[in-house]
Amino acid sequence: MTLDETLDFDMDPRGVIPDAILARTWGMVSEQMKFVIGHEFAHHRLGHLAEGAIPYRAARSPSLSSVERGWLAAKRSWEHEYEADLGALEALTDPSKKLHITIGAIQFFLCLIFFEEVFEGLDAGLKEVDTHPPTEERLRRIVFKFGYFAVCVGGLVSVHLPVAQDVVR
């Protein structure tokens, strides 16, 4: 995670994943990646990347220092991130695909919560400027909008955070 550990585990022949587990994992990752790609495309579809978009203008304002421009653009773009999260799912018209990709989005954010907890626990100084809003809030908004997942997600978040904290310890 910090890019400073040995990579020997990649060459360890004991790391063979059984085919059934590998297939299921790739299926989940596929749905997560569809959400991420949809999220990025939603930025384009919603006009977030246009030259006149607020983060674009704020990042280039000559009246601000480079640090101020960076923070302003990041903060103002948080709403764009929320919009792109929802836009990726709202664009789906097939109910089955919407269900699977929404589950992929929830899994993606749960994994990201886990990653962030462990990463910060290893070295809080590694945290960079937040260009994205808090992951828990992004997850909450998706669950709120697509409420039929609310019951399972609340339980999953409560499981992921303690596990991440245990890994850090």
Side-chain angles (χ1 to χ4, degrees), residues 71-90:
W71 278 103
L72 181 58
K75 282 295 190 191
R76 287 201 172 165
S77 69
W78 280 18
E79 194 55 41
H80 285 182
E81 295 302 324
Y82 295 133
E83 290 172 6
D85 288 343
L86 296 178
L89 300 171
E90 289 170 342

Side-chain angles (χ1 to χ4, degrees), residues 30-41:
S30 173
E31 299 304 321
Q32 292 173 28
M33 291 307 298
K34 287 175 187 173
F35 166 72
V36 171
I37 291 166
H39 167 95
E40 298 305 332
F41 185 71

Side-chain angles (χ1 to χ4, degrees), residues 28-29 31-32 102-112 160:
M28 292 188 319
V29 169
E31 299 304 321
Q32 292 173 28
T102 301
I103 291 170
I106 290 168
Q107 290 171 336
F108 171 76
F109 287 126
L110 289 170
C111 290
L112 194 55
H160 273 242

Side-chain angles (χ1 to χ4, degrees), residues 89-104:
L89 300 171
E90 289 170 342
L92 297 164
T93 56
D94 180 315
S96 177
K97 287 182 181 174
K98 183 177 274 192
L99 173 68
H100 286 97
I101 295 175
T102 301
I103 291 170

Side-chain angles (χ1 to χ4, degrees), residues 123-137:
D123 184 351
L126 295 171
K127 188 171 178 137
E128 297 178 14
V129 173
D130 289 330
T131 57
H132 288 72
T135 304
E136 292 88 348
E137 178 61 15

